[in-house]
Amino acid sequence: LHGDLGTTLTDNQPVASILVRYGAATLELTLLSLVIALLVGIGLGRLAAQRRDSLSDASIRVFAILCYATPVFFLGLMLKLIFSVWLWVLPSSGRSSLSSEMQFSRLVSPTGLYIIDALQLGDMKVLGDVLEHAILPALSLGLLTAGVFIRLVRTNVISTYMSGYVEAARSRGVPEGRLLSKHAWRPALIPIITVMGMQIAMMLAGAVLTETTFEWKGLGFMLSNYPKAKDFVAVQGIVTLIAIIVSVAYFTVDVISAPLHPIAMYCASA
């Protein structure tokens, strides 16, 4: 096993260099999308659980269904239409403007992660430009996963909130806010973290459509172009990398979720 994935048929470049060059863009988009998904999913999910069976709960559940059911490319096109065509407030494609790309060329050791590269330059204007270009793609991909997180957080928080040990704490006069944050929230994290690892696979699949919609030059964008050129060597290398990332993510989730389990916590304190 040498790790040699061969060379691309279209431009005769090592597949490993393609993965490094474009993998940073996909990694950046996935991380930004995951941040949005967690903020929206956990925030609205907890709010829906606290206000169970109210109008706000019903509204949040409808929003979650729409997020999950809307195709990611359709949501991306709608966001481009609203914020780029109608309002002219956000760029519609690319990772940065041409002037920022010229600034990045000055870097001696660029990472390929434009946010980190902009911080290396110390130019807040370049950083703002990079973030503006990332908002719509990250929002489009993040809301897809946020819909899953909202429903999952709501269901698990309500389940643990009605469990016996929470009722026992309530009978001792523990305030409702502390019941949620201290007693019900942490056990509810176990299935949330587990599903989070599964959603990484969905986000990588959604990245293909998102990057194509916004012309975000990442692995997803290249994965949609290489089959057109019948460059199956490059496709094989990209798919292999994605499979490795998903496998590592699943393993990492298992390691993280184990200490959160009440039995493991009890054994560790005993």
Side-chain angles (χ1 to χ4, degrees):
L1 184 63
H2 301 287
D4 184 5
L5 298 174
T7 57
T8 60
L9 302 177
T10 52
D11 47 13
N12 200 34
Q13 294 188 40
V15 174
S17 66
I18 297 294
L19 299 180
V20 172
R21 185 190 314 166
Y22 297 104
T26 299
L27 175 63
E28 187 172 56
L29 176 60
T30 303
L31 291 177
L32 291 173
S33 303
L34 188 59
V35 169
I36 292 175
L38 290 175
L39 291 177
V40 175
I42 292 178
L44 293 183
R46 288 187 62 168
L47 180 61
Q50 285 179 299
R51 302 182 179 180
R52 181 186 179 189
D53 297 330
S54 65
L55 179 61
S56 58
D57 177 29
S59 302
I60 291 173
R61 281 187 287 168
V62 171
F63 174 74
I65 293 172
L66 290 176
C67 287
Y68 183 73
T70 304
V72 65
F73 67 89
F74 179 77
L75 179 59
L77 290 174
M78 290 298 101
L79 291 176
K80 288 175 69 172
L81 180 64
I82 295 171
F83 293 101
S84 300
V85 178
W86 290 349
L87 300 179
W88 286 78
V89 293
L90 291 172
S92 61
S93 61
R95 296 183 64 196
S96 66
S97 62
L98 181 59
S99 59
S100 297
E101 294 282 354
M102 294 177 64
Q103 292 289 333
F104 290 139
S105 64
R106 294 168 38 202
L107 289 172
V108 178
S109 55
T111 62
L113 301 170
Y114 278 10
I115 294 178
I116 296 179
D117 290 343
L119 293 174
Q120 286 188 42
L121 287 171
D123 192 333
M124 292 299 103
K125 185 177 179 181
V126 174
L127 179 60
D129 177 62
V130 170
L131 291 176
E132 284 183 355
H133 281 78
I135 288 175
L136 292 185
L139 192 62
S140 176
L141 187 56
L143 287 179
L144 171 69
T145 311
V148 179
F149 285 165
I150 290 172
R151 300 178 66 184
L152 187 66
V153 169
R154 177 187 179 276
T155 301
N156 284 281
V157 169
I158 290 176
S159 177
T160 55
Y161 204 60
M162 298 175 63
S163 59
Y165 63 89
V166 174
E167 291 293 339
R170 183 181 288 111
S171 66
R172 293 196 300 268
V174 178
E176 290 296 320
R178 183 174 176 81
L179 281 176
L180 178 62
S181 60
K182 183 70 175 177
H183 297 275
W185 174 239
R186 189 168 180 177
L189 278 177
I190 300 172
I192 295 170
I193 293 177
T194 302
V195 173
M196 187 188 305
M198 300 178 183
Q199 293 306 306
I200 292 178
M202 177 185 289
M203 296 185 79
L204 290 173
V208 177
L209 296 174
T210 304
E211 291 179 3
T212 304
T213 302
F214 291 96
E215 297 181 26
W216 184 278
K217 298 296 180 63
L219 290 179
F221 182 84
M222 302 308 296
L223 189 58
S224 66
N225 287 330
Y226 277 130
K228 299 175 185 177
K230 297 183 179 180
D231 194 338
F232 300 113
V233 176
V235 172
Q236 177 180 270
I238 295 174
V239 171
T240 300
L241 177 63
I242 292 175
I244 293 173
I245 292 173
V246 171
S247 300
V248 172
Y250 280 13
F251 175 77
T252 304
V253 163
D254 287 340
V255 172
I256 293 175
S257 61
L260 293 174
H261 198 281
I263 297 177
M265 292 165 57
Y266 175 78
C267 293
S269 61

PDB file of all heavy atoms in Angstrom, residues 193-202 243-257:
ATOM      1  N   ILE A 193     -24.967  13.294  18.637  1.00  0.00           N
ATOM      2  CA  ILE A 193     -23.592  13.175  18.173  1.00  0.00           C
ATOM      3  C   ILE A 193     -23.453  12.004  17.209  1.00  0.00           C
ATOM      4  O   ILE A 193     -22.729  12.072  16.211  1.00  0.00           O
ATOM      5  CB  ILE A 193     -22.634  13.022  19.370  1.00  0.00           C
ATOM      6  CG1 ILE A 193     -22.618  14.313  20.185  1.00  0.00           C
ATOM      7  CG2 ILE A 193     -21.234  12.667  18.912  1.00  0.00           C
ATOM      8  CD1 ILE A 193     -21.769  14.241  21.430  1.00  0.00           C
ATOM      9  N   THR A 194     -24.171  10.910  17.482  1.00  0.00           N
ATOM     10  CA  THR A 194     -24.119   9.746  16.591  1.00  0.00           C
ATOM     11  C   THR A 194     -24.625  10.103  15.199  1.00  0.00           C
ATOM     12  O   THR A 194     -23.995   9.780  14.184  1.00  0.00           O
ATOM     13  CB  THR A 194     -24.952   8.603  17.177  1.00  0.00           C
ATOM     14  OG1 THR A 194     -24.451   8.277  18.477  1.00  0.00           O
ATOM     15  CG2 THR A 194     -24.879   7.381  16.289  1.00  0.00           C
ATOM     16  N   VAL A 195     -25.776  10.764  15.156  1.00  0.00           N
ATOM     17  CA  VAL A 195     -26.345  11.145  13.861  1.00  0.00           C
ATOM     18  C   VAL A 195     -25.492  12.208  13.183  1.00  0.00           C
ATOM     19  O   VAL A 195     -25.440  12.279  11.955  1.00  0.00           O
ATOM     20  CB  VAL A 195     -27.803  11.622  14.045  1.00  0.00           C
ATOM     21  CG1 VAL A 195     -28.365  12.185  12.751  1.00  0.00           C
ATOM     22  CG2 VAL A 195     -28.667  10.476  14.529  1.00  0.00           C
ATOM     23  N   MET A 196     -24.805  13.027  13.976  1.00  0.00           N
ATOM     24  CA  MET A 196     -23.941  14.049  13.399  1.00  0.00           C
ATOM     25  C   MET A 196     -22.886  13.420  12.497  1.00  0.00           C
ATOM     26  O   MET A 196     -22.581  13.938  11.416  1.00  0.00           O
ATOM     27  CB  MET A 196     -23.250  14.853  14.513  1.00  0.00           C
ATOM     28  CG  MET A 196     -22.456  16.050  14.021  1.00  0.00           C
ATOM     29  SD  MET A 196     -21.488  16.801  15.348  1.00  0.00           S
ATOM     30  CE  MET A 196     -22.754  17.108  16.560  1.00  0.00           C
ATOM     31  N   GLY A 197     -22.321  12.291  12.926  1.00  0.00           N
ATOM     32  CA  GLY A 197     -21.347  11.600  12.086  1.00  0.00           C
ATOM     33  C   GLY A 197     -21.962  11.102  10.798  1.00  0.00           C
ATOM     34  O   GLY A 197     -21.345  11.153   9.734  1.00  0.00           O
ATOM     35  N   MET A 198     -23.210  10.610  10.883  1.00  0.00           N
ATOM     36  CA  MET A 198     -23.891  10.159   9.675  1.00  0.00           C
ATOM     37  C   MET A 198     -24.175  11.314   8.730  1.00  0.00           C
ATOM     38  O   MET A 198     -24.155  11.149   7.501  1.00  0.00           O
ATOM     39  CB  MET A 198     -25.200   9.460  10.048  1.00  0.00           C
ATOM     40  CG  MET A 198     -25.032   8.240  10.929  1.00  0.00           C
ATOM     41  SD  MET A 198     -26.619   7.503  11.377  1.00  0.00           S
ATOM     42  CE  MET A 198     -26.078   6.178  12.460  1.00  0.00           C
ATOM     43  N   GLN A 199     -24.436  12.502   9.286  1.00  0.00           N
ATOM     44  CA  GLN A 199     -24.749  13.650   8.451  1.00  0.00           C
ATOM     45  C   GLN A 199     -23.536  14.156   7.677  1.00  0.00           C
ATOM     46  O   GLN A 199     -23.681  14.855   6.678  1.00  0.00           O
ATOM     47  CB  GLN A 199     -25.320  14.783   9.310  1.00  0.00           C
ATOM     48  CG  GLN A 199     -26.673  14.480   9.906  1.00  0.00           C
ATOM     49  CD  GLN A 199     -27.686  14.063   8.859  1.00  0.00           C
ATOM     50  OE1 GLN A 199     -27.902  14.760   7.884  1.00  0.00           O
ATOM     51  NE2 GLN A 199     -28.304  12.915   9.070  1.00  0.00           N
ATOM     52  N   ILE A 200     -22.336  13.813   8.154  1.00  0.00           N
ATOM     53  CA  ILE A 200     -21.134  14.208   7.418  1.00  0.00           C
ATOM     54  C   ILE A 200     -21.144  13.577   6.030  1.00  0.00           C
ATOM     55  O   ILE A 200     -20.780  14.211   5.033  1.00  0.00           O
ATOM     56  CB  ILE A 200     -19.869  13.811   8.210  1.00  0.00           C
ATOM     57  CG1 ILE A 200     -19.768  14.662   9.480  1.00  0.00           C
ATOM     58  CG2 ILE A 200     -18.616  13.967   7.354  1.00  0.00           C
ATOM     59  CD1 ILE A 200     -18.593  14.319  10.360  1.00  0.00           C
ATOM     60  N   ALA A 201     -21.588  12.321   5.952  1.00  0.00           N
ATOM     61  CA  ALA A 201     -21.698  11.662   4.648  1.00  0.00           C
ATOM     62  C   ALA A 201     -22.710  12.389   3.777  1.00  0.00           C
ATOM     63  O   ALA A 201     -22.486  12.588   2.574  1.00  0.00           O
ATOM     64  CB  ALA A 201     -22.089  10.202   4.831  1.00  0.00           C
ATOM     65  N   MET A 202     -23.842  12.807   4.365  1.00  0.00           N
ATOM     66  CA  MET A 202     -24.849  13.540   3.605  1.00  0.00           C
ATOM     67  C   MET A 202     -24.311  14.892   3.143  1.00  0.00           C
ATOM     68  O   MET A 202     -24.567  15.329   2.018  1.00  0.00           O
ATOM     69  CB  MET A 202     -26.106  13.751   4.451  1.00  0.00           C
ATOM     70  CG  MET A 202     -27.188  14.565   3.755  1.00  0.00           C
ATOM     71  SD  MET A 202     -28.608  14.948   4.801  1.00  0.00           S
ATOM     72  CE  MET A 202     -29.330  13.318   4.923  1.00  0.00           C
ATOM     73  N   ALA A 243     -14.705   8.144   1.080  1.00  0.00           N
ATOM     74  CA  ALA A 243     -14.991   6.940   1.868  1.00  0.00           C
ATOM     75  C   ALA A 243     -14.136   6.894   3.132  1.00  0.00           C
ATOM     76  O   ALA A 243     -14.623   6.521   4.213  1.00  0.00           O
ATOM     77  CB  ALA A 243     -14.748   5.698   1.020  1.00  0.00           C
ATOM     78  N   ILE A 244     -12.871   7.290   3.016  1.00  0.00           N
ATOM     79  CA  ILE A 244     -11.983   7.309   4.188  1.00  0.00           C
ATOM     80  C   ILE A 244     -12.469   8.345   5.198  1.00  0.00           C
ATOM     81  O   ILE A 244     -12.499   8.084   6.416  1.00  0.00           O
ATOM     82  CB  ILE A 244     -10.532   7.606   3.751  1.00  0.00           C
ATOM     83  CG1 ILE A 244      -9.984   6.434   2.923  1.00  0.00           C
ATOM     84  CG2 ILE A 244      -9.646   7.858   4.964  1.00  0.00           C
ATOM     85  CD1 ILE A 244      -8.623   6.713   2.311  1.00  0.00           C
ATOM     86  N   ILE A 245     -12.863   9.524   4.721  1.00  0.00           N
ATOM     87  CA  ILE A 245     -13.337  10.585   5.624  1.00  0.00           C
ATOM     88  C   ILE A 245     -14.579  10.132   6.382  1.00  0.00           C
ATOM     89  O   ILE A 245     -14.697  10.340   7.598  1.00  0.00           O
ATOM     90  CB  ILE A 245     -13.622  11.870   4.827  1.00  0.00           C
ATOM     91  CG1 ILE A 245     -12.317  12.456   4.288  1.00  0.00           C
ATOM     92  CG2 ILE A 245     -14.338  12.903   5.692  1.00  0.00           C
ATOM     93  CD1 ILE A 245     -12.515  13.636   3.356  1.00  0.00           C
ATOM     94  N   VAL A 246     -15.516   9.505   5.680  1.00  0.00           N
ATOM     95  CA  VAL A 246     -16.750   9.045   6.327  1.00  0.00           C
ATOM     96  C   VAL A 246     -16.435   7.979   7.373  1.00  0.00           C
ATOM     97  O   VAL A 246     -16.987   7.987   8.479  1.00  0.00           O
ATOM     98  CB  VAL A 246     -17.736   8.517   5.272  1.00  0.00           C
ATOM     99  CG1 VAL A 246     -18.926   7.848   5.933  1.00  0.00           C
ATOM    100  CG2 VAL A 246     -18.206   9.649   4.368  1.00  0.00           C
ATOM    101  N   SER A 247     -15.529   7.053   7.062  1.00  0.00           N
ATOM    102  CA  SER A 247     -15.175   5.992   8.009  1.00  0.00           C
ATOM    103  C   SER A 247     -14.523   6.578   9.260  1.00  0.00           C
ATOM    104  O   SER A 247     -14.849   6.174  10.389  1.00  0.00           O
ATOM    105  CB  SER A 247     -14.217   4.994   7.349  1.00  0.00           C
ATOM    106  OG  SER A 247     -14.812   4.401   6.208  1.00  0.00           O
ATOM    107  N   VAL A 248     -13.612   7.535   9.068  1.00  0.00           N
ATOM    108  CA  VAL A 248     -12.962   8.179  10.217  1.00  0.00           C
ATOM    109  C   VAL A 248     -13.981   8.959  11.040  1.00  0.00           C
ATOM    110  O   VAL A 248     -13.924   8.965  12.278  1.00  0.00           O
ATOM    111  CB  VAL A 248     -11.823   9.091   9.729  1.00  0.00           C
ATOM    112  CG1 VAL A 248     -11.267   9.930  10.882  1.00  0.00           C
ATOM    113  CG2 VAL A 248     -10.705   8.274   9.094  1.00  0.00           C
ATOM    114  N   ALA A 249     -14.923   9.607  10.381  1.00  0.00           N
ATOM    115  CA  ALA A 249     -15.949  10.367  11.091  1.00  0.00           C
ATOM    116  C   ALA A 249     -16.802   9.451  11.952  1.00  0.00           C
ATOM    117  O   ALA A 249     -17.115   9.777  13.100  1.00  0.00           O
ATOM    118  CB  ALA A 249     -16.817  11.132  10.095  1.00  0.00           C
ATOM    119  N   TYR A 250     -17.189   8.297  11.422  1.00  0.00           N
ATOM    120  CA  TYR A 250     -17.996   7.340  12.193  1.00  0.00           C
ATOM    121  C   TYR A 250     -17.229   6.856  13.421  1.00  0.00           C
ATOM    122  O   TYR A 250     -17.793   6.760  14.519  1.00  0.00           O
ATOM    123  CB  TYR A 250     -18.382   6.154  11.320  1.00  0.00           C
ATOM    124  CG  TYR A 250     -19.554   6.403  10.400  1.00  0.00           C
ATOM    125  CD1 TYR A 250     -20.027   7.698  10.175  1.00  0.00           C
ATOM    126  CD2 TYR A 250     -20.194   5.358   9.750  1.00  0.00           C
ATOM    127  CE1 TYR A 250     -21.093   7.931   9.334  1.00  0.00           C
ATOM    128  CE2 TYR A 250     -21.268   5.583   8.902  1.00  0.00           C
ATOM    129  CZ  TYR A 250     -21.715   6.874   8.696  1.00  0.00           C
ATOM    130  OH  TYR A 250     -22.779   7.116   7.873  1.00  0.00           O
ATOM    131  N   PHE A 251     -15.952   6.543  13.239  1.00  0.00           N
ATOM    132  CA  PHE A 251     -15.141   6.075  14.359  1.00  0.00           C
ATOM    133  C   PHE A 251     -14.991   7.168  15.414  1.00  0.00           C
ATOM    134  O   PHE A 251     -15.098   6.911  16.623  1.00  0.00           O
ATOM    135  CB  PHE A 251     -13.761   5.629  13.860  1.00  0.00           C
ATOM    136  CG  PHE A 251     -12.812   5.236  14.953  1.00  0.00           C
ATOM    137  CD1 PHE A 251     -12.933   4.007  15.586  1.00  0.00           C
ATOM    138  CD2 PHE A 251     -11.804   6.100  15.350  1.00  0.00           C
ATOM    139  CE1 PHE A 251     -12.064   3.643  16.595  1.00  0.00           C
ATOM    140  CE2 PHE A 251     -10.926   5.739  16.369  1.00  0.00           C
ATOM    141  CZ  PHE A 251     -11.058   4.511  16.995  1.00  0.00           C
ATOM    142  N   THR A 252     -14.754   8.406  14.968  1.00  0.00           N
ATOM    143  CA  THR A 252     -14.589   9.521  15.904  1.00  0.00           C
ATOM    144  C   THR A 252     -15.861   9.765  16.708  1.00  0.00           C
ATOM    145  O   THR A 252     -15.812  10.032  17.910  1.00  0.00           O
ATOM    146  CB  THR A 252     -14.209  10.801  15.135  1.00  0.00           C
ATOM    147  OG1 THR A 252     -13.028  10.550  14.354  1.00  0.00           O
ATOM    148  CG2 THR A 252     -13.938  11.948  16.092  1.00  0.00           C
ATOM    149  N   VAL A 253     -17.004   9.649  16.057  1.00  0.00           N
ATOM    150  CA  VAL A 253     -18.287   9.836  16.742  1.00  0.00           C
ATOM    151  C   VAL A 253     -18.465   8.780  17.834  1.00  0.00           C
ATOM    152  O   VAL A 253     -18.927   9.088  18.942  1.00  0.00           O
ATOM    153  CB  VAL A 253     -19.440   9.781  15.725  1.00  0.00           C
ATOM    154  CG1 VAL A 253     -20.767   9.557  16.418  1.00  0.00           C
ATOM    155  CG2 VAL A 253     -19.493  11.071  14.933  1.00  0.00           C
ATOM    156  N   ASP A 254     -18.105   7.531  17.550  1.00  0.00           N
ATOM    157  CA  ASP A 254     -18.213   6.472  18.559  1.00  0.00           C
ATOM    158  C   ASP A 254     -17.324   6.767  19.763  1.00  0.00           C
ATOM    159  O   ASP A 254     -17.717   6.532  20.914  1.00  0.00           O
ATOM    160  CB  ASP A 254     -17.824   5.121  17.956  1.00  0.00           C
ATOM    161  CG  ASP A 254     -18.890   4.590  16.999  1.00  0.00           C
ATOM    162  OD1 ASP A 254     -20.039   5.055  17.098  1.00  0.00           O
ATOM    163  OD2 ASP A 254     -18.556   3.743  16.156  1.00  0.00           O
ATOM    164  N   VAL A 255     -16.132   7.273  19.517  1.00  0.00           N
ATOM    165  CA  VAL A 255     -15.203   7.588  20.601  1.00  0.00           C
ATOM    166  C   VAL A 255     -15.734   8.742  21.450  1.00  0.00           C
ATOM    167  O   VAL A 255     -15.655   8.717  22.687  1.00  0.00           O
ATOM    168  CB  VAL A 255     -13.806   7.920  20.034  1.00  0.00           C
ATOM    169  CG1 VAL A 255     -12.887   8.432  21.136  1.00  0.00           C
ATOM    170  CG2 VAL A 255     -13.203   6.701  19.373  1.00  0.00           C
ATOM    171  N   ILE A 256     -16.300   9.759  20.794  1.00  0.00           N
ATOM    172  CA  ILE A 256     -16.786  10.936  21.517  1.00  0.00           C
ATOM    173  C   ILE A 256     -18.053  10.616  22.309  1.00  0.00           C
ATOM    174  O   ILE A 256     -18.225  11.078  23.446  1.00  0.00           O
ATOM    175  CB  ILE A 256     -17.053  12.095  20.535  1.00  0.00           C
ATOM    176  CG1 ILE A 256     -15.725  12.573  19.926  1.00  0.00           C
ATOM    177  CG2 ILE A 256     -17.750  13.258  21.226  1.00  0.00           C
ATOM    178  CD1 ILE A 256     -15.899  13.628  18.856  1.00  0.00           C
ATOM    179  N   SER A 257     -18.954   9.835  21.732  1.00  0.00           N
ATOM    180  CA  SER A 257     -20.242   9.585  22.380  1.00  0.00           C
ATOM    181  C   SER A 257     -20.141   8.623  23.558  1.00  0.00           C
ATOM    182  O   SER A 257     -21.004   8.638  24.445  1.00  0.00           O
ATOM    183  CB  SER A 257     -21.246   9.031  21.364  1.00  0.00           C
ATOM    184  OG  SER A 257     -20.795   7.805  20.816  1.00  0.00           O
TER     185      SER A 257
END
